[in-house]
Amino acid sequence: MSRISLTEELRAEYHRLFTTCVARSDKNAAIETITDGIFADRNRYQHVGKALNIPWFVVGVLHALETERDFSCHLHNGDPLTERTRHLPDGHPQTGEPPFSWKESAIDALQLRHLDQWQDWSIAGTLFCLEDYHSWNYRLHHPEVPSPYLWSYSTHYQQGKYVTDETWNDTAIFPHCGAAVLLRRLAERGMIDFADGATTPILRYLDIGTLPEIAELQTFLNRFPGIFVRVDGHPGPRTSEAFHKLTGHYLLGDPQANSSN
């Protein structure tokens, strides 16, 4: 069982961070190369994901983070597929005989971490699952540093990491691209959709409090003739109606969005 619960507050945080996720300019080329590779191998990831009811892109970003997309390694820990894993978790897969195919090893690794039992593949649910897969140490012990496993290569993360499971270093930098940054770029390129259809998460903030991004949206809406909304960062009905007037769509979460054609 996870040490953290996916509360509405945490959902809002994931949506806020995903909405405002901006890749560092010096990392754009690397991000593009990784997402190109993930998408090119989507059929291999789909074979694993379909067997476990996991989105293929979740399998893909985990493969990128855990083994740098090396298909000759166990997803568990990067040990070679020519034998069972020797490092923790050791002795996997426990069934079958080596050498193992990447697919059977990957399925074993994801089942071992219970990803086949997770059902919420919305943006927030996906990011929660990925943060849980890596570690809650950042959130629990260094909340000032958003987990680099999710946000490395973006402006959300600068430095600070665990150099071992228990040893923290203020100046060390996580070397790999974060999973959320990869998912964000895949979504920007139109390569993936989330279970809740939330590829535009800024539209999902109705009635969860105030947010600076909504204040920016309200300021933008007020530039158009006939639109007058208070700039308070709260995405209430007036903001939703103004957004509908401009775009033809209500903010997601507004009851009018469900009843409109």
Side-chain angles (χ1 to χ4, degrees), residues 203-223:
L203 308 184
R204 299 187 60 82
Y205 286 128
L206 193 69
D207 297 330
I208 64 166
T210 60
L211 293 163
E213 294 83 7
I214 296 299
E216 293 175 7
L217 172 63
Q218 291 164 334
T219 300
F220 175 75
L221 291 171
N222 280 320
R223 295 176 182 172

Side-chain angles (χ1 to χ4, degrees), residues 17-18 21-24 27-28 30-32 34-35 38 57-58 60-66 68-69 126-127 130-131 134 138 146-158 161 173-188 192 194:
L17 290 171
F18 197 80
C21 179
V22 177
R24 289 170 43 193
K27 298 296 185 181
N28 281 335
I31 294 169
E32 213 72 3
I34 299 168
T35 52
I38 290 173
F57 49 84
V58 172
V61 297
L62 284 172
H63 192 213
L65 266 291
E66 297 297 322
E68 298 185 348
R69 302 191 58 256
T126 299
L127 298 183
L130 290 169
E131 187 169 357
H134 179 60
Y138 292 90
S147 172
Y149 195 81
L150 296 182
W151 306 110
S152 178
Y153 284 24
S154 79
T155 55
H156 289 323
Y157 172 75
Q158 302 300 322
K161 71 179 290 286
I173 297 174
F174 193 80
H176 307 296
C177 183
V181 178
L182 294 175
L183 292 173
R184 171 76 191 207
R185 185 57 187 145
L186 288 166
E188 290 171 349
I192 63 172
F194 293 90

